Amino acid sequence: MSGKERYYIDQAFETNWIAPLGPNIDAFEKQMAAYTGAADAVAVSSGTAAIHLSLQLLGIGAGDTVFCSSFTFVASANPILYCGAEPVFIDSEPDTWNMSPDALRRALEDANRQNNLPKAVIVVHLYGQVSKMDELMELCGQYDIPVIEDAAESLGSIYKGKQSGTFGQFGIYSFNGNKIITTSGGGMLVSDDVELLRKARFLATQARDAAAHYQHSSLGFNYRMSNLLAGVGRAQLEVLDERVAARRAVYENYVGAFADRAGISFMPELNETRSNRWLTAVLIDEKETNVTTSELLDALSAVNIEARPLWKPLHLQPLFQGTRFYSHLEGISLCERLFQSGICLPSGSSMTVIDQVRVVDCMNELFDKAAINSAQSA
Ligand SMILES: *Cc1c(COP(=O)(O)O)cnc(C)c1O
């Protein structure tokens, strides 16, 4: 927290706006629209709810197909199942680790041949790195398919001068506790289509018709954000740029610390983009370092440092068993390789330099030991 959150929460108490509507929500939505450059924004209870609403607004239902990045958190694709639609997963490409335009092209060509084009494509910007939006938008534009950007992890990231989440028909952000700014739980749906966002507000408040008595003609949801939490969001948004700077500094420190160590590389940053570096993701070349990712996670855990594997690709999840998957190159899945060889390092905005030195020292100790062991056995 930045400190100012209490001020906006107190305002909500003093004015008795303890509800899923109120001045904090209106202000937070306006500020998010202004920050991202989208025409409007709708504050909702989670990023997942925002994805679900965008699929609903596009009229997606049973029998429809939705393409989605495979290398992501499960929440990107769960709403496809909520709608009764079928997901098809698309691999990553090496420059961003995000959706591969080559894989997407093949998937679209196949779908077009089978007369079964997807109703939407969900493009995820993982760990803050924006996807190759020019290529992806061009491909989807050729077939007139709407794009939903899952920018849950990339708030504050920029692609060619524009905020992530503002390229597709819809963009979604998350304010879950682990994200770069948080409302403890919450999300935001943005779009340039103000009419559709009006409908999103309607659907998110139980789709109540304009009648004094409680009348409902369509299926709605209870997805609005609380006015208390929107107060937290207002204060958090004021420090977003500081948080991005802090996360980028954490990333730079790690890169500097391992600059001379062979077999360690970091998630790339595409030209003309600025990642918020939500999490610093690192790849460990097992052959070069003689260290596996699980050995590394264990070594860190042994000294009470929490690190995590990269997201397990969705096409490998038991939940999505049997779904179709298009790899970047025929027969070679890049996201599976990333999953096997990468981890996320501790990356919090409030991490001290001393904390970071502890992480680096622990890793160096393990790498040095592994190097000595392999020299002795050679
Ligand atoms: C966190 C996250 C979500 C879901 O956001 P919630 O607010 O937790 O529902 C969706 N997609 C990605 C990539 C995420 O990291």
Side-chain angles (χ1 to χ4, degrees):
M1 293 291 102
S2 69
K4 205 164 163 199
E5 289 81 3
R6 289 241 174 124
Y7 170 77
Y8 292 115
I9 292 179
D10 284 347
Q11 271 191 352
F13 272 90
E14 279 155 22
T15 54
N16 207 26
W17 280 105
I18 315 296
L21 77 170
N24 278 334
I25 294 179
D26 297 343
F28 189 31
E29 288 179 342
K30 280 206 182 69
Q31 284 165 348
M32 275 294 291
Y35 184 90
T36 59
D40 201 3
V42 177
V44 290
S45 52
S46 70
T48 311
I51 298 173
H52 189 198
L53 281 174
S54 26
L55 295 175
Q56 290 286 324
L57 290 166
L58 294 171
I60 287 159
D64 293 330
T65 306
V66 176
F67 289 2
C68 181
S69 307
S70 184
F71 194 37
T72 182
F73 179 52
V74 71
S76 302
N78 275 345
I80 303 171
L81 299 188
Y82 300 167
C83 296
E86 183 198 339
V88 172
F89 292 116
I90 311 292
D91 200 5
S92 305
E93 54 79 31
D95 299 335
T96 63
W97 298 9
N98 286 315
M99 187 180 281
S100 156
D102 289 340
L104 177 65
R105 179 182 300 107
R106 275 187 281 114
L108 286 170
E109 285 168 359
D110 278 0
N112 193 33
R113 262 195 301 276
Q114 292 153 8
N115 211 6
N116 186 25
L117 282 166
K119 280 273 186 72
V121 176
I122 301 175
V123 174
V124 185
H125 307 306
L126 218 60
Y127 305 126
Q129 171 57 55
V130 193
S131 313
K132 290 188 167 172
M133 288 316 290
D134 281 351
E135 290 86 339
L136 297 172
M137 290 303 293
E138 155 97 40
L139 277 166
C140 292
Q142 276 173 26
Y143 297 92
D144 223 9
I145 297 165
V147 170
I148 299 166
E149 286 179 81
D150 179 346
E153 301 178 1
S154 67
L155 179 57
S157 298
I158 295 168
Y159 178 96
K160 299 189 180 175
K162 254 178 86 155
Q163 289 285 328
S164 73
T166 60
F167 293 83
Q169 180 156 15
F170 296 104
I172 75 95
Y173 305 99
S174 166
F175 309 112
N176 191 25
N178 62 342
K179 299 302 197 284
I180 191 155
I181 61 169
T182 182
T183 59
S184 76
M188 193 73 71
L189 176 65
V190 301
S191 178
D192 285 337
D193 192 327
V194 177
E195 257 331 291
L196 276 179
L197 289 189
R198 214 189 302 277
K199 194 167 171 206
R201 286 193 184 89
F202 166 76
L203 290 178
T205 46
Q206 309 282 24
R208 187 177 162 191
D209 294 342
H213 56 282
Y214 286 82
Q215 177 170 298
H216 304 269
S217 318
S218 39
L219 176 63
F221 306 90
N222 184 4
Y223 274 172
R224 278 297 249 169
M225 180 182 277
S226 148
N227 189 58
L228 286 173
L229 298 185
V232 177
R234 288 178 75 178
Q236 287 274 291
L237 190 54
E238 290 169 14
V239 294
L240 173 59
D241 288 338
E242 286 168 35
R243 298 286 154 88
V244 173
R247 301 253 172 173
R248 288 185 64 85
V250 165
Y251 161 82
E252 297 292 347
N253 278 342
Y254 282 128
V255 170
F258 296 111
D260 297 330
R261 174 121 7 218
I264 297 194
S265 59
F266 291 85
M267 186 180 203
E269 188 169 51
L270 198 63
N271 278 342
E272 296 182 83
T273 69
R274 184 196 69 168
S275 169
N276 68 10
R277 294 289 181 195
W278 174 54
L279 295 184
T280 294
V282 62
L283 294 184
I284 313 295
D285 185 326
E286 195 180 319
K287 285 206 190 79
E288 194 117 32
T289 60
N290 282 296
V291 170
T292 65
T293 51
S294 58
E295 285 167 346
L296 181 54
L297 290 173
D298 287 347
L300 289 166
S301 167
V303 290
N304 203 22
I305 295 170
E306 188 188 23
R308 302 268 181 96
L310 301 184
W311 298 127
K312 178 173 179 164
L314 295 188
H315 72 278
L316 301 178
Q317 296 285 357
L319 175 65
F320 293 111
Q321 205 173 15
T323 51
R324 280 176 291 153
F325 169 68
Y326 282 85
S327 57
H328 176 57
L329 301 168
E330 302 268 8
I332 299 173
S333 161
L334 185 80
C335 65
E336 285 180 39
R337 289 189 177 184
L338 294 169
F339 171 58
Q340 278 153 14
S341 57
I343 70 165
C344 289
L345 295 174
S347 312
S349 314
S350 54
M351 240 187 131
T352 64
V353 173
I354 292 170
D355 285 338
Q356 262 197 286
V357 168
R358 263 192 73 213
V359 177
V360 169
D361 284 351
C362 172
M363 289 172 67
N364 273 331
E365 201 179 311
L366 179 69
F367 290 130
D368 287 342
K369 249 191 246 161
I372 292 166
N373 282 347
S374 83
Q376 280 171 349
S377 63

